[in-house]
């Protein structure tokens, strides 16, 4: 699993990246939205964890751009501000989740593993076929 952390706060960025690496996750970091987009152009990542309060590019703008340009990238928004589920839906961005700060390393890694595992196939009840 490869994760790009985009967070302008140096302490949060280091804590998140280091925590992922200690847990055996390939993690890289970018301090700005522009640097994050450039890194996404250069390498393939499974996840991008983007802080809501970036200093150069609005996080929602970055997430929309990343969603359009990298459709297989799983996008996660993080913040110490906790938007409601309705607010997140209204962004129109296909997020795999919101990660509220502060987080524990075990919580974070468990979340990523759950989101990286495809859901099991649906089984039809006996004698019936699923619609195609």
């Amino acid at each position: 699993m490869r994760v790009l952390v985009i967070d302008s706060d140096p302490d949060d960025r280091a804590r998140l990246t280091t925590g992922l690496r200690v847990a055996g996750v390939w993690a890289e970091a970018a301090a700005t939205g522009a640097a994050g987009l450039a890194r996404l152009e250069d390498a393939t990542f499974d996840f991008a964890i983007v802080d809501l309060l970036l200093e150069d590019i609005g996080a929602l703008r970055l997430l929309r751009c990343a969603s359009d340009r990298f459709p297989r990238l799983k996008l996660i928004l993080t913040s110490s501000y906790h938007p409601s589920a309705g607010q997140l839906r209204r962004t129109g961005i296909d997020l795999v989740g919101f990660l509220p700060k502060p987080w524990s390393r075990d919580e974070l890694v468990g979340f990523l593993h759950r989101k990286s595992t495809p859901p099991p196939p649906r089984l039809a009840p006996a004698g019936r076929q699923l619609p195609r």
Side-chain angles (χ1 to χ4, degrees):
M1 174 181 343
R2 293 176 57 103
V3 178
L4 178 63
V5 175
I6 306 171
D7 196 324
S8 54
D9 181 284
D11 293 331
D12 284 348
R13 187 174 60 248
R15 189 172 27 259
L16 182 53
T17 306
T18 301
L20 289 168
R21 289 176 181 159
V22 166
V25 175
W26 180 278
E28 293 186 35
T32 66
L37 285 173
R39 192 67 194 116
L40 288 170
E41 290 286 346
D42 293 339
T44 301
F45 293 91
D46 301 301
F47 291 94
I49 301 175
V50 180
D51 185 62
L52 181 62
L53 298 178
L54 294 175
E55 294 176 2
D56 64 333
I57 298 175
L60 298 180
R61 182 174 165 208
L62 182 147
L63 289 165
R64 282 188 189 99
C65 181
S67 178
D68 290 344
R69 290 164 68 182
F70 313 101
R72 292 183 180 206
L73 179 67
K74 295 177 182 89
L75 301 169
I76 299 169
L77 183 64
T78 186
S79 179
S80 53
Y81 299 99
H82 298 184
S84 70
Q87 289 172 312
L88 292 172
R89 269 192 312 277
R90 283 191 297 274
T91 66
I93 301 166
D94 189 19
L95 298 171
V96 296
F98 173 75
L99 187 63
K101 292 180 182 179
W103 21 251
S104 74
R105 183 182 70 221
D106 292 340
E107 188 177 53
L108 170 63
V109 172
F111 177 83
L112 292 174
H113 282 294
R114 283 191 305 279
K115 296 300 181 178
S116 65
T117 305
R122 287 183 18 199
L123 300 176
R128 296 184 60 200
Q129 289 186 338
L130 289 175
R132 294 189 191 260

